[in-house]
Structures are given as structure tokens and as C-alpha cells.
Amino acid sequence: MLNLSPTSRTDRPSANGARRRRALSRYVARQAGKKGYSFEPGALAGPEGLIGGAAVALLVAVALVLRRPDFAWAPYAAFWTCLADPGGGMTRRLRVMTAFIVCGGLVAGLVSAFAAPSGLASGALLSALVGLLIYVGLSSSGMGGVGVLVGVVAVVAAEQPVGAADAVMGALVFFLGGALTMILCLATVACVPPTRRSPREDRAPPADPRALSHAVLAAIAVMATYTAVHALSLAYPQWATVAAVVVVRPDVHASRRRTIERVAGSLIGAAAAAPLILAVKESWALVPPIFLLAAAAITLRKVNYTLFVSFLTPLFIVIGATMVPSLAHQAAASRAEDNMIGSVLATLGCALVWGGWRLVGARMPRRLKTSG
């Protein structure tokens, strides 16, 4: 008679193997946490990665068919929309992604239309806008990621000054790329049988109590980085400023960890992108690598930040090489250099601001410290 019980000998090896894999994953995550770095093997997002990768590659292919390099806003919007997706219930996902698409498209159009030549005034306006976006996002329930991502859009648009007509077209292209990606994400999930979730998973997280300090630090980091990269005449100044936006945290230790992770990922990604864009001469041949890179980045975005950036960096380098092949030879080195500069400046800004705040706090009368 066949033994069909769950504890049959034929099932024991696979069950033991699964337990060993789970134990190994927990061990790796604990060891990474002890050193201050996150590593969550259970946070793989394979289906989302495939959907996002397909959307990004499809929109790059459309840009090639239309022969419109300015259509690059569409694949960027598609990728950022995937990052904005909070997961959980359908209503929450629709609300958050729609907020990002609408705000991102408006910011992309307005900032690129009114972008001025580099200078202190331009840097001050950009830093104030980024700080405001991050503050509004973090102060709203479940919108913290949207504020940071729209701040990234503002930084990129500030380095792409265009006329009013082209700015409107850029905003429409952004809406199109983001909306198409959101529809694909929601429609695909709707076709999958729902899994049991606790009510907490569908509940938006509360507003961040440190929203103001985070926004102020981000504004300072953007101002310092924007001024420095234009003084150095970097080839891609937007990526340095983007790095400053995403690595800054409300405390210097978290910013330092994120800086190390981003610099390491940028170096790995740039090294991987360089031979690819130099070896491939036809833009169409880069579409499959774009799909793979986008899918891997989205899949790993919550697993480990260094791994995420290792795929994010070559993705954006290859998209740029596809849209403007003449600049492909310098993209990899410039991207790595700009990310390092922006990340380091953001960390130094956090250290200076928090160091000064602690110094002021140490000299405050006790009654002022306890009066708020």
C-alpha cells in the first residue's frame, strides 16, 4: 500500500531541503542586519519584475520605431511607476500609482519648461521643490515613496530644458508610460487568484513623524550637489543630484549605509554596462538586455539595495545609449562618477547638519529642550 501521508520518506528530503533553505535565508538576513545592511531573500518580486521589464522594453521599442529620442520619458515613467507600486490591496495600489503618474507628469512638464541655466537661483528653486515634494509625500499616509520619486523626476527634468510645446509633449509621454504600466500591473494581478492577506497589508502606513527633517536634509543635499556638479561640469549632472535625493535619510548613519550601498552598486553596474554598450552596435539589439535589467532591478528592489542599484545603473545607461548612441561610450564611467559624488555629498550634508543640530541642542537651556 502506498503511504500518502505528509511524513512519508519520499517527502522528507524535499521538506528538509526547504527547511534548510529557509534557515539559510534567515541566517543571511540576520548577519546582514547586524552589519546595518538589509537583505531580505523573501522579498523577491518576480511577477512584478517581469511585468515592469516588459513595459520598459516595450516603450523603448516604441521610441525606436517612432525614432523619437525624447520619448525616453515613457520607459523612465514605466520603471518609476513600478517602484511606486506599494503592493497590497487593489484600491491602495491604484491610488498610490495614480498619484505618482499625475504628479510626476506635471512636474516633468513644468520643470523642463521653466528650467533655467545652472546657477544659485536654479539650484535653490530645485532644492526647495524637492524638499517640498518629499515633505508632502512623507506627511501623507502611504505616499512617502511617491514624494521621493517625484523629487527624482524634478531633478532629471531640471537638466532637460525644452520649449513649452516639447514640455507638454514630455508630460503626455510620461502619463502614457506610467498609465500603461499601471494598467499592466493591476490587470495581471487581477487575473491571479487572490491570496489571503491580513488587513494590515492593505492598510497604508502612517505619515512619517520625521518628514520635516528628512525634507530639509534632502533640500540641502540637492543644493550642495547641484552646485558642485555644475561647477565641475559633469557630463550627467542629474544622476549625481538623483543620488543625493535617494540616499539622504533623517540620520547620518542611515545615509552613510545607503551611500556605501549605492556607490558599490553603481560601480558594479557601470562595469557591467560598459562592455555591453560598446559591443552592441545596433539599438534594437539592446532591447532584450533592457528587459532583463529592468525585470531584475524591480524583482530585487526590496531584497537588497546594492543588488537593486547594480541592475538599475546599467539599465539607465543602456536606455540612454539606445536613445542617443553617440553618447554611449562615456555613459558608464560618467554614471558611476556622478553617483559617487552625489552620494558622498549627501552623506556629508547629513553629517554637517546633524552635527550642528547636536551642538546647538547641547547648548540649549534645559527648559527649551523640554518645551516642545
Side-chain angles (χ1 to χ4, degrees), residues 3-8 11-12:
N3 184 2
L4 300 178
S5 65
T7 56
S8 64
D11 290 339
R12 285 177 185 171

Side-chain angles (χ1 to χ4, degrees), residues 72-145:
W73 273 121
Y76 289 148
F79 183 80
W80 288 326
T81 300
C82 291
L83 299 188
D85 186 357
M90 188 74 73
T91 301
R92 179 188 169 198
R93 297 179 69 201
L94 178 64
R95 179 173 66 92
V96 173
M97 286 192 283
T98 300
F100 168 72
I101 294 166
V102 173
C103 295
L106 291 175
V107 167
L110 291 172
V111 173
S112 59
F114 291 97
S118 59
L120 290 178
S122 300
L125 289 173
L126 178 62
S127 62
L129 175 61
V130 172
L132 177 63
L133 290 170
I134 291 177
Y135 176 73
V136 172
L138 292 174
S139 299
S140 306
S141 176
M143 293 291 177

Side-chain angles (χ1 to χ4, degrees), residues 250-275:
D251 67 88
V252 67
H253 300 294
S255 297
R256 184 177 63 225
R257 289 195 299 269
R258 184 54 63 94
T259 295
I260 295 172
E261 291 175 319
R262 189 167 185 93
V263 169
S266 296
L267 291 173
I268 296 170

Side-chain angles (χ1 to χ4, degrees), residues 320-346:
T322 305
M323 299 298 176
V324 189
S326 60
L327 300 178
H329 65 282
Q330 64 178 3
S334 297
R335 177 64 189 263
E337 177 187 14
D338 295 352
N339 268 290
M340 284 188 287
I341 292 173
S343 301
V344 171
L345 285 175

Side-chain angles (χ1 to χ4, degrees), residues 278-295:
L278 292 176
V280 178
K281 303 301 181 183
E282 294 293 332
S283 295
W284 277 102
L286 292 172
V287 174
I290 286 173
F291 164 73
L292 295 175
L293 291 169

Side-chain angles (χ1 to χ4, degrees), residues 200-265:
R200 292 182 180 179
E201 294 184 46
D202 293 334
R203 194 179 305 160
D208 191 336
R210 297 187 294 181
L212 181 59
S213 60
H214 191 157
V216 170
L217 282 171
I220 294 172
V222 168
M223 183 65 194
T225 307
Y226 183 89
T227 304
V229 296
H230 282 282
L232 295 172
S233 300
L234 296 184
Y236 299 94
Q238 66 268 31
W239 300 125
T241 316
V242 164
V245 173
V246 298
V247 304
V248 70
R249 289 293 181 271
D251 67 88
V252 67
H253 300 294
S255 297
R256 184 177 63 225
R257 289 195 299 269
R258 184 54 63 94
T259 295
I260 295 172
E261 291 175 319
R262 189 167 185 93
V263 169

